[in-house]
Amino acid sequence: MNVGYKELIDAIIAKQTSILGEDIALKKAGKVEGLILNAFGKVAIIEGDGKKVLEKLLNEYAALTGEASILFAKEAIAPLIKENPTLGLPEKLKK
Amino acid sequence: MKKVAIVLLPIVLFALNISTNFWKFPSNIPFFSLAISFLLTAVAIPGFLYCVILMRRWGGVKSVMGKGFLFLGVSFLSQSLSSLLNFLFFHNSYFPPVVTVLLGCMNLFWALSAYHFLITTGINQKARTNWKIIIIGTLIIGIAMAAYGKAFTSAPYAEEVFNSVMFLLDFVLILETLSLLLHVKNFNGGILVLPALFLSFGIVFQLIGDLVTVEVFKTELATDTLSSAIYNFSWLLMTLSPTSLLITSQFAQDKNQ
């Protein structure tokens, strides 16, 4: 599988759905500029720079659960990053 | 206006409950008896209602936060029922089995609620598994100790074993609460800081209340009024956990609309 920002964002949204519930997790993701979700809550289109969209998504979740949202995001994307280690990540996910 | 009412309701109930204890209204007069039993039951009801609202809003039983609020809500309900039963049928004189079971359930649901808050702080998988084992282990040992103490009343140390269950539960709860307090920093910048702090300190004050009621710590200061005030204050703190999240998340929604 070719892992890109779409897969990372899908994994993060799925993880946050399990923590915060579907309503809040999808509502927060829906507010991110450049991120369009389909009817199933999966990424349909990423407009513009995927890395920036990913960072905006992290900021939305951080407004609810702070640093914990970054820990969950790291946990969610860990297996995907192994498949594409060259993919550029926001600073927050590198630490 | 709605937000003010959400915050004021538990505070007013707390103040009324404290007043009935402080001025020692005579419970043998039907009106006061009814008022006191109503207040004892009502003090935990706002917490229960707020938890139900939050549970539904935060994904119900399918999400970690939803389950956390479900367990906290059930603990409020257990407290409410145990206070009502104790006052109406047992006149606060001793703890009959049904009230003891309800209080045991209340402790268990706190532990489960705090566990779900702990997960939300982002603790690693190993810590999650360890806490799960500790909670299940405490439950099994606690039930075994309580059963031994109650079923074999003539057995050696039966009463002591039964009384130790409370200390076992308190010990595990204090460890869990300390762990939650240590991890609350992970919520920095988010709206879950206050709910987690209120829950943690609410549990801490309940445990202080437990210590104050134990005979060995009885002093002139540790009167029934004081222990009742500590328990009531702990319920206020715990109620402020869902209250703070309810008004913050409402505010966040209003702001974004």
Side-chain angles (χ1 to χ4, degrees):
Chain A
M1 186 175 72
N2 190 15
V3 173
Y5 291 110
K6 181 185 178 303
E7 285 72 28
L8 298 191
I9 291 172
D10 271 338
I12 291 169
I13 293 174
K15 184 73 186 174
Q16 290 293 344
T17 299
S18 74
I19 303 291
L20 308 170
E22 199 176 51
D23 282 0
I24 290 179
L26 295 185
K27 200 180 271 183
K28 283 281 168 188
K31 281 180 195 158
V32 175
E33 205 186 314
L35 179 62
I36 296 162
L37 303 178
N38 64 22
F40 305 103
K42 299 272 181 192
V43 177
I45 303 164
I46 297 175
E47 290 171 344
D49 186 351
K51 189 175 158 185
K52 280 184 182 161
V53 172
L54 176 57
E55 194 161 7
K56 284 178 193 167
L57 179 72
L58 293 173
N59 290 340
E60 280 294 335
Y61 288 133
L64 287 177
T65 51
E67 184 65 22
S69 62
I70 308 297
L71 297 173
F72 286 124
K74 282 181 184 172
E75 195 180 292
I77 65 167
L80 298 171
I81 289 301
K82 282 179 191 162
E83 289 183 37
N84 187 0
T86 57
L87 193 66
L89 293 175
E91 283 304 312
K92 287 175 187 173
L93 292 178
K94 285 182 189 169
K95 287 175 200 165
Chain B
M1 188 66 194
K2 202 168 146 191
K3 267 185 267 177
V4 176
I6 288 171
V7 179
L8 273 184
L9 182 63
I11 294 173
V12 169
L13 283 170
F14 165 73
L16 287 172
N17 214 352
I18 286 286
S19 308
T20 57
N21 278 303
F22 187 74
W23 281 294
K24 297 241 175 275
F25 290 126
S27 58
N28 53 344
I29 298 173
F31 171 76
F32 285 126
S33 170
L34 204 67
I36 293 170
S37 64
F38 168 75
L39 284 171
L40 281 169
T41 311
V43 76
I45 293 297
F48 170 69
L49 292 175
Y50 298 168
C51 281
V52 170
I53 295 169
L54 284 171
M55 184 200 82
R56 294 179 63 171
R57 195 176 284 176
W58 288 69
V61 290
K62 286 181 187 165
S63 81
V64 175
M65 283 300 293
K67 277 187 267 189
F69 281 109
L70 169 71
F71 290 127
L72 187 58
V74 179
S75 81
F76 281 115
L77 199 62
S78 307
Q79 194 274 340
S80 218
L81 284 174
S82 66
S83 292
L84 184 69
L85 288 174
N86 208 29
F87 185 83
L88 289 183
F89 301 110
F90 308 106
H91 310 289
N92 287 327
S93 54
Y94 67 103
F95 286 95
V98 63
V99 174
T100 310
V101 168
L102 278 171
L103 291 175
C105 288
M106 184 178 81
N107 277 270
L108 171 68
F109 290 124
W110 284 337
L112 292 173
S113 180
Y115 168 70
H116 284 87
F117 264 89
L118 254 177
I119 294 177
T120 318
T121 63
I123 56 166
N124 61 38
Q125 190 58 49
K126 197 181 167 194
R128 284 179 223 173
T129 311
N130 288 344
W131 274 113
K132 208 184 270 182
I133 293 167
I134 291 170
I135 292 170
I136 294 169
T138 308
L139 182 65
I140 293 167
I141 295 168
I143 290 173
M145 284 167 74
Y148 175 82
K150 277 286 164 194
F152 307 103
T153 43
S154 56
Y157 303 112
E159 201 181 328
E160 287 81 358
V161 169
F162 184 76
N163 291 336
S164 307
V165 177
M166 187 183 87
F167 289 108
L168 174 73
L169 290 173
D170 283 358
F171 180 69
V172 172
L173 268 171
I174 202 85
L175 281 183
E176 200 182 9
T177 309
L178 284 174
S179 180
L180 182 56
L181 281 169
L182 279 174
H183 289 92
V184 160
K185 66 176 189 308
N186 289 350
F187 286 147
N188 275 352
I191 60 171
L192 287 176
V193 180
L194 273 181
L197 285 176
F198 278 130
L199 175 66
S200 302
F201 284 111
I203 293 175
V204 168
F205 269 85
Q206 277 279 332
L207 304 182
I208 293 172
D210 284 353
L211 280 179
V212 169
T213 52
V214 172
E215 210 59 40
V216 73
F217 293 104
K218 282 265 184 193
T219 62
E220 275 180 32
L221 283 172
T223 57
D224 286 345
T225 309
L226 177 72
S227 61
S228 179
I230 293 172
Y231 280 130
N232 271 302
F233 184 62
S234 80
W235 280 111
L236 176 68
L237 287 177
M238 271 193 251
T239 306
L240 289 177
S241 171
T243 307
S244 59
L245 187 57
L246 199 60
I247 58 165
T248 333
S249 53
Q250 256 191 355
F251 175 68
Q253 275 182 355
D254 294 345
K255 210 167 58 171
N256 290 319
Q257 273 164 8

